[in-house]
Every structure is written in structure tokens, then in C-alpha cells.
């Protein structure tokens, strides 16, 4: 992103403000904001944190009914949402930590803060806790995620200004269909920004901030199976609705030493709240967003199988709400996957096996009696250099 003179001036001003605060002071501020204020919590959390053993997180060890209920709640929060409910994730990490593990979880985070979040200091319980936080909270306001999407768009290959007339018509249809689905939901978190990425082998992919990239192959073949194409679009839009890209990135940031340094910056940013601050967030956009982009690009960010099943559930929901036949859409979608043949770099490689998705999808759209759910394989995630086990295709 090229800074304009105004942006550069704002950035310098923001830099001055930020540099005036030493890093330690920022951490102390962060600590202060995270300190529990609810009644019944320890009055001096920092002291308690210093002596708190690291393996006493209520969720992990306690056998009390409260702990069991809490554990069940956590598991249900992490399970795929089959109802396509409006995302309820919180911005306030401290609040979420209390829900996760009471004051002990807060103390645990304070301990991490006290050790300056050294990645190597993280215990398995710490990682479990932070991964929970990554999936149930968002650390970037929508405005910042949109900037992330725009920056991602800038560095992505783009071919939608060189389409044939037939492809142009298809592109317009895709945009119209996306708008139609988007209008079915309230509080949709972003505009759907449509692009054709000439490097995609097939299908369509949701990125950050409402950015949806479609392949040329999809534009050229969608007239053969229009209902299947609609399903694919609804599925990608659902990834945007659920803010899957940001959550996945948060998760990946917490899962690697390289990402951890960046995660700290996002966590610090999150302490400033959910509203966008033009100066400080302008500076954040210039300094941190490019690092996030290169992290995400290197990682080839893929969604988890839970997120994929959630997106399918939303697609079924929206197709029905739009008066379309979800079963017909699924059949066309499955046929187009089969028809497009194998492609190791394509859509099928980044998605769960079709049979698992079908079981999930059919349960969602079938009226009673629903068939028993097929067990879903844990992570169908692609392994580098290994072909996808199922016949790939386009989506
Ligand atoms: Zn997907």
C-alpha cells in the first residue's frame, strides 16, 4: 500500500503517539484492561498470578458440575453452527476468558503478559485457551478487516478487467447473486467484493473483508449448472458472514512462533476496542496489515472442516430463504465437482470430502425424518505434496 502524503503525516503523528508509550507501559495498560472487575474475583490478580500454578485451569481439571457445564458450553461453541445464526463472537477477550476458565484463565493470561508472551513459555493448556479465544472472538474491527481485504486484493492476481463478453455476463450474474444472498441477512459484516483470479484452477474462494475470488473456469461453466454455482457462492459468502478468514488467521497466528509476534500486536490492538480509530488504526494498517498479508499468503490460509460445514449449513439456509431448491443445488454442485476432474491445486483440495459435506448438507435441507449423521472425519486438511483423497473438481 502506497502511503499518500496525508496518510504519511497521519502515520508519523500516530508513530509519535505510539513511541511516546514504551512497550512495557503498553503491556501494563493491556494488563490493566484485562484485569477482572466482576465481584468475587481476586483483588490483586497480578500477585495471585505470580503464584498460580499453571495447570489448574477450571476447565481442565475440575470435576464440579459448574466445570462440566462450562466444558459443555465450550464444546458447543467450537462445534459447527448448523443453524447459520448471526455470529455472536465477542470483541472483549477478557470477558471471553472469564467464560472459558473464570478468574484462573484471566490469571493465566496475566502470567503470559508478565512473561511478554514468549511463545516457548506456552503450556498446552495456554495454547488450548488461546485457540478457544481465537475461534470465539474477533480481534479486528470490520473496518480493519476490510483494509486487510483491500491489501490482500492489491497483491492478488486480478483478471476481471480482461474478461470475454460471456465471462463478463457471468461475472455480473455472480455479483447479483451475491447481493441477493447478502440482502437475506442482517448486519452482514462486509461488502462482497468480487474478483476473478486468473491463477485459480477452479471454484471460488472467500478471503478477508468480503473479498471473494472466482476462477475463470467457474465463470465459463456456471451456465451449465446454475443452481450448483449458486450453492458455491452462498458457501463462500457464508465464510465472509462468519468472519472465518480472520478467525482462521488468529488461530494460525497463535499456532506458530512466527505468528505469535504478530498475534501479540493484534491482541494489543484488540484492547483498544471494536471501534475504528482513524489515527492509531491508520498506523496499524500501514505497519501491521502488510505483515498479516504476507503471513496469510505464505500460509495459504485454509478453513477448518468445522468452518466448511458451517458455510454449507448457511448455504442451505440461504438457498431456501431465496426460494431456491437446495437439494437440486447440491446435486448440481456435486456433479460439477465430479465433472471438472482432478486438480491437486483446486477447490476440492481445500475442502472436506464431498461425502462428508453431503451428509451435513442433506441433514440441513431435509425435512423430518432426518437421516442419522455420518461421522465427519477430523481434519481433511490437505497435506503438502499429497493429492486429495477424493475426486476433486470445481466448486
Ligand atoms: Zn469453503
Amino acid at each position: 500500500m502506497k502511503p499518500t502524503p496525508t496518510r504519511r503525516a497521519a502515520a508519523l503523528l500516530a508513530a509519535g503517539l505510539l513511541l511516546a508509550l514504551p512497550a512495557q507501559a503498553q503491556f501494563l495498560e493491556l494488563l490493566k484492561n484485562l484485569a477482572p472487575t466482576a465481584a468475587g474475583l481476586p483483588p490483586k490478580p497480578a500477585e495471585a498470578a505470580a503464584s498460580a500454578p499453571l495447570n489448574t485451569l477450571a476447565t481442565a481439571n475440575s470435576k464440579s458440575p459448574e466445570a462440566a457445564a462450562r466444558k459443555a458450553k465450550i464444546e458447543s461453541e467450537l462445534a459447527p453452527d448448523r443453524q447459520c445464526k448471526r455470529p455472536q463472537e465477542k470483541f472483549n477477550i477478557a470477558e471471553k476468558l472469564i467464560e472459558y476458565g473464570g478468574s484462573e484463565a484471566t490469571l493465566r493470561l496475566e502470567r503470559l503478559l508478565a512473561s511478554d508472551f514468549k511463545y516457548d513459555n506456552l503450556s498446552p493448556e495456554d495454547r488450548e485457551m488461546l485457540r478457544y479465544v481465537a475461534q470465539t472472538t474477533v480481534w479486528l474491527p470490520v473496518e480493519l478487516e476490510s483494509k486487510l481485504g483491500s491489501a490482500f486484493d492489491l497483491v492478488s492476481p486480478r483478471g476481471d478487467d480482461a474478461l470475454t463478453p460471456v465471462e463478463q455476463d457471468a461475472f455480473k450474474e455472480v455479483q447479483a447473486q451475491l447481493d441477493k444472498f447478502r440482502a437475506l441477512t442482517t448486519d452482514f459484516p462486509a461488502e462482497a467484493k468480487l474478483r476473478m483470479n486468473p491463477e485459480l484452477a477452479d471454484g471460488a474462494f472467500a478471503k478477508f473483508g468480503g473479498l471473494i475470488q472466482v476462477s475463470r473456469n467457474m465463470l465459463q461453466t456456471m451456465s451449465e449448472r446454475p443452481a450448483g454455482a449458486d450453492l458455491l457462492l452462498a458457501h463462500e459468502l457464508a465464510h465472509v458472514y462468519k468472519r472465518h478468514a480472520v478467525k482462521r488467521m488468529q488461530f494460525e497466528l497463535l499456532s506458530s512462533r512466527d505468528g505469535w509476534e504478530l498475534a501479540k500486536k493484534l491482541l494489543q490492538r484488540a484492547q483498544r476496542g471494536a471501534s475504528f480509530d482513524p489515527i492509531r488504526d491508520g498506523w496499524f494498517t500501514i505497519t501491521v496489515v502488510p505483515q498479516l498479508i504476507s503471513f496469510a499468503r505464505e500460509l495459504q490460509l485454509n478453513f477448518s472442516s468445522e468452518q466448511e460445514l458451517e458455510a454449507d449449513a448457511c448455504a442451505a439456509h440461504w438457498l431456501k430463504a431465496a426460494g431456491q431448491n437446495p437439494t437440486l443445488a447440491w446435486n448440481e454442485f456435486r456433479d460439477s465437482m465430479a465433472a471438472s476432474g482432478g486438480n491437486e491445486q483446486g477447490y476440492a483440495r481445500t475442502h472436506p470430502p464431498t461425502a462428508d459435506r453431503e451428509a451435513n448438507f442433506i441433514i440441513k435441507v431435509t425435512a423430518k425424518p432426518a437421516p442419522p449423521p455420518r461421522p465427519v472425519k477430523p481434519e481433511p486438511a490437505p497435506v503438502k505434496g499429497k493429492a486429495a483423497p477424493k475426486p476433486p473438481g470445481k466448486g
Side-chain angles (χ1 to χ4, degrees), residues 224-257:
E224 295 162 20
R225 297 180 183 88
D230 287 348
L231 187 154
L232 171 66
L233 293 174
H235 172 100
E236 297 310 322
L237 196 65
H239 283 311
V240 176
Y241 180 58
K242 294 285 195 176
R243 298 189 75 184
H244 282 165
V246 158
K247 288 181 182 174
R248 190 65 185 169
M249 187 182 68
Q250 291 173 175
F251 177 84
E252 297 288 356
L253 288 171
L254 291 176
S255 310
S256 69
R257 191 173 285 100

Side-chain angles (χ1 to χ4, degrees), residues 57-73:
L57 201 59
T59 48
N61 287 344
S62 174
K63 300 273 189 281
S64 72
E66 293 80 20
R70 190 183 271 167
K71 191 163 181 277
K73 182 175 178 288

